[in-house]
Amino acid sequence: MISLLDFIRPALPGPNLTHSRWGTIWPYAGRNHGHKMRHKWPPVGSLRWPSTELHNVLAGRDNVRREFLNLLRFLGNELRIPLVGVGTREAYLAIRSDAQLENRFHPMTLPIWTNDIDTRSLLASFTASFPLRAPSHLTSAEMTDYLLTRCEGTIGELATLLTAAAVTAIEAGEEAITSQVLTQTAYSGPTERRRHFERHLA
């Protein structure tokens, strides 16, 4: 999955770039100029074009935000492929700020991971990807519950936890992610990190 900004940035003309806190975009200059730019973009090669971290739109100034939303609408019209926006609650609010775009995007929520066959399959994939010499048994019901509780059920946190555990396993000479290795792994979940930060602010 690629970022929309990363995808279009190589094709953007230097003098027309607009810089903001959330990236660099091409100011929407109308249909004729946009039609010319479309031919500079590489082929998508897919029936869907995912744009990640769409919530960053809200970090820009009002005029920059409008330009980006105009660009999204233009891409949907010209490329004639579905656009898939991925982000936090703020991404939904960004799309809602444009009535036409809101009609084109149908919001869906992604639930957190639970202790089911899909999660155990995901854990098995993680296990197979780590360069450990011994097998890591992470797919039991008890281990799955432990991992999900500690990472709070999100795939990004799970990846961070297991990667840190794999490093700990190698450094400890275990060569496998075990309960003991996980206990020794220096990892704090989102809630714990937030509380730690807020204590320092008080």
Side-chain angles (χ1 to χ4, degrees):
M1 186 172 290
I2 62 173
S3 164
L4 177 61
L5 290 175
D6 290 338
F7 188 89
I8 66 175
R9 186 175 291 119
L12 304 181
N16 291 330
L17 292 183
T18 295
H19 299 277
S20 71
R21 290 170 51 200
W22 52 273
T24 306
I25 71 165
W26 159 56
Y28 184 73
R31 185 180 181 85
N32 291 334
H33 182 60
H35 182 74
K36 294 178 182 178
M37 287 301 300
R38 178 170 65 92
H39 296 290
K40 295 184 180 182
W41 298 333
V44 177
S46 173
L47 295 178
R48 292 179 177 84
W49 192 355
S51 173
T52 61
E53 300 188 15
L54 196 57
H55 47 269
N56 289 331
V57 172
L58 290 180
R61 299 185 302 274
D62 287 344
N63 62 319
V64 177
R65 190 183 314 162
R66 284 194 299 271
E67 290 166 355
F68 183 81
L69 294 176
N70 281 338
L71 179 58
L72 278 183
R73 186 163 48 247
F74 167 78
L75 291 175
N77 292 336
E78 292 297 315
L79 298 182
R80 299 186 182 279
I81 59 173
L83 300 179
V84 180
V86 182
T88 63
R89 177 179 179 272
E90 284 71 24
Y92 171 67
L93 296 178
I95 295 299
R96 280 193 59 185
S97 66
D98 186 293
Q100 294 184 35
L101 278 178
E102 184 180 10
N103 289 333
R104 301 184 188 190
F105 285 87
H106 302 283
M108 298 175 59
T109 58
L110 294 177
I112 62 174
W113 292 82
T114 58
N115 194 340
D116 56 19
I117 188 172
D118 291 332
T119 302
R120 289 191 287 274
S121 177
L122 175 67
L123 290 173
S125 298
F126 273 118
T127 301
S129 68
F130 291 133
L132 300 174
R133 297 174 182 172
S136 300
H137 303 290
L138 304 179
T139 57
S140 68
E142 294 78 9
M143 179 62 79
T144 302
D145 277 336
Y146 171 83
L147 293 171
L148 291 176
T149 298
R150 193 166 175 187
C151 74
E152 301 183 19
T154 63
I155 190 171
E157 292 293 329
L158 180 61
T160 300
L161 169 58
L162 292 180
T163 301
V167 172
T168 301
I170 293 173
E171 292 177 344
E174 293 287 340
E175 292 295 338
I177 300 176
T178 63
S179 298
Q180 181 178 358
V181 166
L182 285 166
T183 301
Q184 297 171 350
T185 299
Y187 166 84
S188 299
T191 299
E192 186 178 351
R193 293 197 303 269
R194 186 161 50 247
R195 288 174 179 170
H196 177 76
F197 181 72
E198 290 173 352
R199 282 197 298 269
H200 282 76
L201 290 178

